[in-house]
Amino acid sequence: MAREADVIIVGAGLSGLAAAREVLDAGREPLVLEADERIGGRILTEEVDGVPLELGAQWIGDTHHRMETLADELGVKIYDQFEDGETTYEFAGEVLRGDTFHAKYADELAGLERVLREIDRMADTVPVEAPWTAPRADEWDRITVGQWYDSRRLSPVARTLLEICTVGILAMPTVEVSLLCLLQNVAVCGVTAELLAESEGGAQTKRFVGGTSLIPQRLAATLGDRIVLNSPVLTIDYSDDRVTITCRGGLTATGRQVVVALAPTLAGRDTRSTDPADAAGVRAQDVRAVRRTLLAGRWPERPAHLGSGPGTDVERQLHAGRNWRPRHHPGVSGG
């Protein structure tokens, strides 16, 4: 089986679907290849007795204006996270009311606050549109958030609290994401490290009526048969003017450009690239190599059967080899 498009997008999570819609809006043909049997990636809503239950990403925050705009465009309503009443903490084998918890762990919370302020200062040096150009980007991209947290001389209690609130935002353990990624998240949100909080100004203040899965489902509906499920990508092969992608199951897709909308770890583990820009292929431990290899800019002439038209911003950005983000950059945090 063979398919052809202008832009092949690997991954039908929120980023991949948003990228595909952006390509389609630009007048070009996208094709989305998804390894799973469903769309949505780390977004998954299941219904139990008619009530939507989130098994993945579920919140957005007060500064996630692009997600609010996207939801509005797709007809998905938003409601405020309920937070009235007194907070109860179940921690270290105890169940404590808010005032008691803060009094008992005052010193530990002060240490956590010190680290958050340090994150603020570091994030201020990270350019939102090009985080890899930050003065210490190379250093921060080579260590995980967990490693950096461990170096802050926090008490075990403070370290545990920091892990809990960070995982709630990143939706993955801190040992699986680079420090630079966390700092970019802080910089992108346009707020300080309060984004780790659940209160006003944080990243977990709003939810979607009917469940978060409505977002990828309605994005997918705009793409029709341009999404192919059960198609894990095995190889990405480059020639002078084409990109050829082979999938498990026999599908071969060719295009003028490829966007890999996967976490770098997944891209490095599951995909082999023959891009001469990086003869060593994709290395999961080097995010920069993933960007360089899988987002290398090539924009050859458009095949006649796909029509013609002037260059677009999407084309120019892909041609420049930038780490291009769709207009509606995902900003949903996990549960």
Side-chain angles (χ1 to χ4, degrees):
M1 180 179 177
R3 296 285 298 266
E4 186 169 358
D6 289 314
V7 180
I8 312 297
I9 297 164
V10 181
L14 186 54
S15 294
L17 295 172
R21 191 180 76 152
E22 194 85 355
V23 170
L24 190 62
D25 287 348
R28 302 303 185 184
E29 276 296 312
L31 177 65
V32 182
L33 304 176
E34 170 56 47
D36 207 341
E37 61 185 11
R38 65 173 183 86
I39 62 166
R42 286 180 285 183
I43 295 175
L44 177 60
T45 307
E46 298 282 4
E47 283 201 3
V48 178
D49 296 331
V51 178
L53 176 65
E54 302 292 5
L55 303 181
Q58 54 186 305
W59 289 286
I60 60 173
D62 295 335
T63 61
H64 295 162
H65 305 305
R66 291 176 179 176
M67 278 303 303
E68 290 189 26
T69 300
L70 177 58
D72 184 63
E73 291 176 2
L74 297 174
V76 179
K77 297 186 181 299
I78 295 172
Y79 67 96
D80 292 334
Q81 169 67 44
F82 179 81
E83 60 177 31
D84 292 341
E86 187 175 1
T87 300
T88 299
Y89 295 87
E90 182 178 359
F91 183 74
E94 294 183 295
V95 177
L96 303 173
R97 294 293 188 181
D99 291 345
T100 304
F101 176 86
H102 285 87
K104 180 171 183 176
Y105 294 113
D107 291 342
E108 288 82 357
L109 292 171
L112 189 150
E113 177 71 14
R114 171 179 55 81
V115 171
L116 294 183
R117 297 287 74 77
E118 192 171 357
I119 290 174
D120 292 342
R121 292 189 293 271
M122 295 161 68
D124 284 342
T125 70
V126 177
V128 170
E129 298 299 330
W132 54 90
T133 64
R136 298 176 64 185
D138 185 71
E139 172 191 348
W140 292 338
D141 213 18
R142 292 179 181 277
I143 63 173
T144 68
V145 175
Q147 288 172 319
W148 186 78
Y149 282 174
D150 289 342
S151 71
R152 297 301 95 189
R153 300 179 180 178
L154 292 167
S155 70
V157 168
R159 175 66 180 85
T160 300
L161 290 171
L162 194 56
E163 182 77 15
I164 291 171
C165 61
T166 308
V167 169
I169 302 303
L170 299 179
M172 65 180 68
T174 59
V175 296
E176 295 182 11
V177 62
S178 80
L179 177 59
L180 182 61
C181 178
L182 172 64
L183 297 176
Q184 184 193 16
N185 271 269
V186 176
V188 166
C189 287
V191 296
T192 64
E194 272 71 29
L195 72 91
L196 299 176
E198 298 178 4
S199 57
E200 182 177 354
Q204 298 183 347
T205 59
K206 300 176 182 179
R207 297 178 66 179
F208 300 97
V209 176
T212 313
S213 282
L214 286 178
I215 299 292
Q217 287 169 3
R218 294 187 181 181
L219 278 173
T222 68
L223 300 172
D225 64 358
R226 298 177 180 89
I227 302 172
V228 182
L229 302 178
N230 297 306
S231 299
V233 170
L234 298 176
T235 62
I236 301 176
D237 297 305
Y238 294 82
S239 62
D240 289 339
D241 61 351
R242 308 296 290 163
V243 177
T244 301
I245 298 176
T246 58
C247 301
R248 187 178 301 138
L251 174 65
T252 300
T254 57
R256 303 163 64 199
Q257 184 56 268
V258 58
V259 174
V260 176
L262 301 177
T265 299
L266 290 178
R269 184 185 68 192
D270 298 335
T271 307
R272 177 178 63 83
S273 171
T274 61
D275 183 357
D278 188 343
V282 182
R283 299 187 183 278
Q285 66 270 29
D286 191 338
V287 176
R288 294 162 306 150
V290 172
R291 289 170 177 154
R292 183 171 68 250
T293 301
L294 299 179
L295 298 178
R298 289 181 176 80
W299 202 260
E301 291 302 313
R302 181 176 172 83
H305 74 278
L306 290 176
S308 60
T312 66
D313 287 340
V314 173
E315 291 182 1
R316 284 190 289 271
Q317 292 188 56
L318 289 171
H319 184 73
R322 296 173 184 161
N323 185 26
W324 173 64
R325 295 182 303 174
R327 177 177 64 241
H328 302 294
H329 183 62
V332 184
S333 62

